[in-house]
Amino acid sequence: MTVQMTGASRREILKTAGAGGLVLSFSIASKASAQGSAPQPINAYVRVAPDGFVTIVNKNPEIGQGIKTTLPMLIAEELDAAWDKVRIEQADNDPKVYGRQFAGGSMATPLHWDELRRVGAVARAILIQAAAGGWKVPAGECVTEPGVVVHKASGRRATYASLAAKCAGIAAPDPKSLTLKDPKDYRIIGRPTPQYDTAKIVTGQPLFGIDVKRPGMLYATYEKAPVFAAGVARADLAAAQSVKGVRKAFVVEGSSEALQPAAGQIGPGLLPGVAVVADTWWAARKGRDKLDVQWAEHPTSGQSSEGFAAQARALAAAKPQRTPRNDGDVDAALKTAAKTVEAAYAYPFLAHVALEPMNCTAEFKDGKLEIWAPTQNPEPGRQLCAKTLGIKPEDITIHMVRCGGGFGRRLANDYMVEAAWIAREAGAPVKLIWTREDDIRHDIYRPAGFHFLKGGLDAAGNLIAWQDHFVSFGEGQGFAPSAGMGPTEFPARFVPNCRIDVSVMPLGVPTGPLRAPGSNALAFVMQSFIDELAHAAGADPLAFQLKLLGDKPVVGEPPAAYAAGRMAGVLRAVGEMSGWANRGRLPKGEGMGVACYYSHMGYFAEVAHVAVSPGGEVAVKKVWVAGDVGRQIINPLGAINQVQGSVLDGLSEALHQEITIKDGRTQQSNFHDYPLMRINEAPPVEVKFLETDYPPTGLGEPALPPAIPALTNAIFAATGKRVRSLPIRPEMLKA
C-alpha cells in the first residue's frame, strides 16, 4: 500500500472540475510581504464537491500538535462549512503555493489566524456570488448557513454542492475587503474538536512516516561513529553482505563539517557512515550488527559532561567574556543589600526521544528525487538534499507525512538526506529507519548550561540587585545552536541593578531546539532563584512575584515587550485555582510551589503540589495551570491537551531525563537508561485560560517551562532542600 498524505494532483483537480466541483486556490500576502520584505505568501486550497463535502488542505506538518485540525477549522468557520462535511488532506511541500511550511515555535496560530480565516471568507463570497447570479439578486441580500446559501427575502436556498459547478469564472474578491465573523457567531472556532486522524491512529491505520511503502522498496540502516562526526577509517563489509537478505553495504564519505548547520538549516547534514540495504529492515539491522568499522580519530573525543562542568566553574571564577546587559551598579547594590543570596544552577543535555524514531522513504529515478518524510521543516530538507546530491531543488518532491512526535527534533533533516543518498546508491526506493539507539545517540540535543547567580534584597524585601554569569557553549560572540540567552531574560528590566555576563566554551556535540527552546532550561534557573530570594525576604513566593512585576502593564518595546499585567493575571488566577493561600495546612512532607514564565508569546503560571517520601521519592499530586494566549482558543480540546502534555513533558525532563557525554560520545542508548515519565507518575493537570484582548497565539510550547520550577519550588516547600541541578534524584532529597 502506498501512503501519500498529499494535496490534490492536477489530474484530481481536472476530475473534480469535470464532475461539477469547485476548485479554489489562491494566495494572500503575509504581513511581512505587506511591510515590503521578501514575500511570504500564505495560501489555502479548498475544494467543494458535488456530494456536498468540502475538502480543505492543511498546509503545515502535523506532529501531534493537532494543526491538521486547527488550521482547517479557521477556513471552515469563515467558509460557513458544515464541519461534519469537511474532509482534510495534508499538503505536499510546495513553497510556491503554500509559502513556508513548518511546525515549530508555536507559530501556526499567530501566523495564520487572520490569513486562513480570510481564505474561508473568500470561498464563501464566491459561493454567494454564484447563487446570487443564478437568482438574479444582489449578493448583499444573501447569507449563508452551514453548507447553504440563503436568499432571505424569497426564502430560496442552494447547497454549496449545487453551486459548485457555477463557481467557475467568478473572480475572487480582495480578501482584505471582506468582513470576518463576529466571534459570538462562531460555530466551529471555540468548539472542542477531536483531531481529524484520531480514529485512524487508534485503529492502527497507516499514517506515519514509518508506515510508508513503495513498490520494490528496500530497507536501510545507517551506522555512524559514536564520536560525533568522526569519519570512517576502515570498513570490512564482507560479513554484513553475507547476511541473508542484505543487498548492499557501502561507505558514505559524508563530511565531518556537516555537523555544523549550514545557512538556513537546523542540525547536521550528511555525516560519514556505513549504509546497509536489505529486503527487510531486520535483515538490514542484522547486517549492520556484522559490520567491522574502525572510526577515525576526532577532537570531540576529549569532551565530556564532567569536563564541561569543570570548565564552567573555572570560567565562572574568571572575568566574563562579554556582558550583554549591565543596568545600574550591581556590585555596589550587592555590597549595600540587607541580604544577599548566591547559588549555582546547572541543567544537562536532553534528547528528544519522539516515540517514532527518525525515518524517511526516498526514491531516486531519472535524476529526480521523491521523498516521504515525517519532517517539521520540509523546505530546508529539500535544499539540503539538492545541495548534497548535486541536483536542482525543483527536481525534488517532498510528501509531508504525519510525524510520530517532533518536539523540535524533526526541524533537522539529517535522516532525510541520509535516505536520499542511500536511495540513489541503492538504485531502488529505500526506507531508512533509525534504531532507538541511533535516535538517542545521534540527536541534536538540548544544550546543557550553567548559571552562577547573585541576588540582593533591601531591608523591605525588595529585589534590588541581580547578577547571572551564564556559562554556555559557543565560540567568540556566538552561541551553539539553542544554547543562548537574551539580554531581556526576566527579571531583567524589573530589577534596577541587573547584570548578565556570558562566557562560552567550545562544543563538538550537536545541539538544537527542544520544545520551548532555551526557555525549558532558563525558566528552571530564573524561577527557582526568584523563589530562593522570596524565601530569603520572608515573603510569600506568589506575592513576591507580583511585587516584582510592578504596576506597569507592559515593560519594553515590541518585539521584546513584556506584558507584566498579563503575567500578574495568570499568577492571581493560578493562586485562586490551587488554593495557594491554604498551602500551610498541608501535611508534613508535602508542599506547593509556584512559577511563571513568558515563552513563545504565551504567559503561563503554574502551581505544583508534591509529596516527598523520607527516601527522597517525589510524587506529584496535582498541577494547576493558568495561561493567557489571547482572546480566542481555537480548539479547546486540543488546547487543553497541549497544555497537559507540556506540563507532563516538563515534569518528565526534571524527574528523569539526562544525556551525559564521555569520551565525546553519548552514554545513554534506550529507555532503560533514558527513562520517561510513566503513566502511574502522571498527575492530574487542571487548566484555565484567561481571555485577554490580544491576538491569539500558539500553545505547543509556553506551558512547559514553568512546570519545572513549580516542581522544584514545591520540593523545597516540602523538604527545605533546594534543587539546583537536574534531573532530580532521590539521594538529593533524603531526610
Side-chain angles (χ1 to χ4, degrees):
M1 178 180 181
T2 301
V3 180
Q4 300 183 23
M5 300 303 295
T6 68
S9 66
R10 293 181 181 180
R11 182 183 297 269
E12 289 170 327
I13 291 171
L14 291 173
K15 283 181 178 179
T16 303
L22 164 65
V23 177
L24 175 64
S25 181
F26 57 94
S27 65
I28 302 173
S30 70
K31 294 176 182 177
S33 176
Q35 294 169 353
S37 61
Q40 298 289 331
I42 297 175
N43 300 262
Y45 189 75
V46 178
R47 297 199 308 274
V48 180
D51 62 2
F53 277 88
V54 175
T55 298
I56 300 175
V57 172
N58 169 51
K59 61 166 290 207
N60 276 5
E62 172 60 68
I63 62 172
Q65 82 282 42
I67 214 65
K68 186 176 178 181
T69 305
T70 300
L71 293 187
M73 287 174 71
L74 300 178
I75 297 171
E77 181 65 75
E78 293 294 340
L79 173 59
D80 219 359
W83 186 250
D84 61 355
K85 292 288 187 179
V86 170
R87 294 183 176 126
I88 301 173
E89 291 182 357
Q90 178 63 56
D92 282 346
N93 180 56
D94 191 341
K96 292 181 180 178
V97 174
Y98 296 106
R100 189 179 177 199
Q101 297 165 274
F102 73 103
S106 296
M107 292 302 295
T109 295
L111 287 176
H112 300 111
W113 166 249
D114 187 69
E115 285 81 355
L116 289 188
R117 286 185 300 141
R118 292 192 183 280
V119 164
V122 168
R124 176 175 171 270
I126 291 173
L127 288 160
I128 287 175
Q129 188 63 51
W135 293 330
K136 310 295 185 187
V137 300
E141 294 182 2
C142 298
V143 297
T144 58
E145 297 174 0
V148 180
V149 178
V150 179
H151 182 235
K152 281 189 171 182
S154 65
R156 282 177 288 188
R157 302 168 64 84
T159 64
Y160 288 179
S162 69
L163 295 168
K166 301 175 183 178
C167 291
I170 297 177
D174 177 2
K176 299 290 186 182
S177 69
L178 301 175
T179 301
L180 300 179
K181 281 187 178 181
D182 189 305
K184 67 179 175 55
D185 297 324
Y186 287 161
R187 296 181 302 99
I188 296 171
I189 293 174
R191 186 182 75 179
T193 304
Q195 286 199 33
Y196 183 74
D197 287 333
T198 296
K200 292 182 179 179
I201 293 169
V202 299
T203 55
Q205 297 184 46
L207 284 169
F208 298 92
I210 209 164
D211 297 321
V212 172
K213 293 183 180 178
R214 297 291 296 158
M217 185 179 79
L218 302 176
Y219 292 81
T221 60
Y222 193 54
E223 177 87 354
K224 287 180 286 194
V227 176
F228 305 104
V232 178
R234 181 189 60 79
D236 183 354
L237 308 179
Q241 291 173 328
S242 69
V243 172
K244 184 179 180 180
V246 171
R247 297 285 191 96
K248 194 174 185 179
F250 53 91
V251 173
V252 177
E253 294 296 334
S255 170
S256 293
E257 299 300 318
L259 186 69
Q260 301 303 321
Q265 297 288 335
I266 294 174
L270 183 63
L271 294 171
V274 181
V276 179
V277 181
D279 294 329
T280 65
W281 186 81
W282 184 247
R285 173 67 188 272
K286 298 301 289 183
R288 175 177 167 175
D289 290 343
K290 298 286 187 180
L291 286 173
D292 180 10
V293 183
Q294 181 178 331
W295 302 100
E297 293 296 321
H298 194 277
T300 299
S301 63
Q303 296 186 349
S304 68
S305 293
E306 289 186 359
F308 294 141
Q311 288 181 67
R313 290 190 294 270
L315 286 168
K319 182 181 178 181
Q321 296 168 2
R322 59 183 186 269
T323 300
R325 186 173 204 98
N326 193 3
D327 298 334
D329 190 333
V330 170
D331 293 335
L334 287 171
K335 286 180 182 178
T336 60
K339 288 185 180 179
T340 59
V341 179
E342 294 189 33
Y345 279 79
Y347 42 84
F349 294 97
L350 292 181
H352 293 78
V353 288
L355 289 187
E356 179 192 24
M358 301 304 108
N359 67 88
C360 182
T361 300
E363 185 170 350
F364 190 87
K365 186 176 182 181
D366 300 328
K368 297 184 185 297
L369 178 64
E370 191 168 7
I371 289 174
W372 292 261
T375 174
Q376 293 180 241
N377 209 12
E379 184 56 26
R382 182 207 302 271
Q383 300 299 326
L384 176 63
C385 290
K387 181 179 179 180
T388 306
L389 273 65
I391 61 178
K392 297 177 181 178
E394 54 266 31
D395 287 336
I396 301 176
T397 300
I398 297 181
H399 305 290
M400 294 191 297
V401 188
R402 187 182 179 104
C403 306
F407 314 110
R409 177 58 180 92
R410 286 183 159 100
L411 288 166
N413 289 294
D414 44 344
Y415 54 94
M416 185 190 295
V417 73
E418 290 170 3
W421 187 277
I422 294 169
R424 185 177 69 174
E425 296 299 306
V430 168
K431 180 193 286 185
L432 170 71
I433 304 177
W434 287 22
T435 65
R436 177 59 64 194
E437 289 79 8
D438 293 334
D439 211 48
I440 289 179
R441 289 176 170 167
H442 292 284
D443 204 344
I444 52 167
Y445 303 99
R446 193 285 300 275
F450 307 87
H451 296 257
F452 299 85
L453 297 142
K454 295 180 182 179
L457 301 160
D458 66 14
N462 298 304
L463 181 58
I464 59 169
W466 177 281
Q467 179 186 349
D468 180 8
H469 190 165
F470 175 39
V471 180
S472 187
F473 300 97
E475 294 183 14
Q477 296 296 305
F479 287 106
S482 298
M485 180 177 75
T488 59
E489 182 66 33
F490 186 83
R493 301 181 289 182
F494 291 83
V495 183
N497 304 286
C498 177
R499 186 167 75 236
I500 297 174
D501 298 319
V502 171
S503 297
V504 296
M505 47 191 164
L507 180 68
V509 178
T511 59
L514 183 146
R515 191 178 196 175
S519 303
N520 54 43
L522 298 175
F524 158 62
V525 174
M526 307 308 164
Q527 287 290 302
S528 295
F529 192 56
I530 287 173
D531 196 77
E532 289 203 50
L533 290 163
H535 283 278
D540 172 343
L542 195 153
F544 187 84
Q545 293 266 15
L546 289 170
K547 186 178 182 181
L548 181 59
L549 289 167
D551 299 327
K552 290 184 179 179
V554 178
V555 172
E557 299 294 329
Y562 187 103
R566 298 176 73 181
M567 189 62 82
V570 294
L571 273 167
R572 292 188 179 98
V574 82
E576 293 174 5
M577 292 168 63
S578 62
W580 176 260
N582 299 319
R583 68 193 185 285
R585 301 175 186 174
L586 294 174
K588 184 179 179 180
E590 296 188 17
M592 293 170 71
V594 64
C596 61
Y597 202 74
Y598 168 66
S599 169
H600 296 79
M601 303 185 188
Y603 293 82
F604 278 81
E606 302 178 17
V607 168
H609 175 194
V610 306
V612 182
S613 73
E617 298 290 341
V618 177
V620 186
K621 305 193 73 161
K622 188 169 182 178
V623 177
W624 295 264
V625 183
D628 179 352
V629 289
R631 69 176 67 97
Q632 182 65 58
I633 302 297
I634 298 169
N635 181 0
L637 180 61
I640 291 172
N641 289 342
Q642 282 288 291
V643 171
Q644 292 174 332
S646 293
V647 169
L648 298 183
D649 209 353
L651 297 179
S652 181
E653 290 174 8
L655 290 167
H656 298 299
Q657 294 168 229
E658 179 183 29
I659 290 291
T660 54
I661 306 298
K662 185 177 181 180
D663 299 327
R665 62 194 71 192
T666 299
Q667 293 185 282
Q668 290 71 28
S669 64
N670 210 313
F671 291 129
H672 71 285
D673 54 7
Y674 193 83
L676 304 182
M677 175 177 276
R678 306 300 288 265
I679 195 167
N680 65 319
E681 299 175 279
V685 179
E686 183 179 328
V687 181
K688 178 179 181 179
F689 294 109
L690 277 64
E691 294 183 4
T692 56
D693 194 21
Y694 291 86
T697 53
L699 270 171
E701 290 161 292
L704 187 154
I708 299 171
L711 170 64
T712 57
N713 293 339
I715 289 171
F716 174 78
T719 66
K721 297 178 184 293
R722 279 288 170 196
V723 176
R724 296 193 181 104
S725 65
L726 298 175
I728 301 162
R729 304 189 188 284
E731 53 267 27
M732 298 177 176
L733 308 176
K734 286 182 180 178

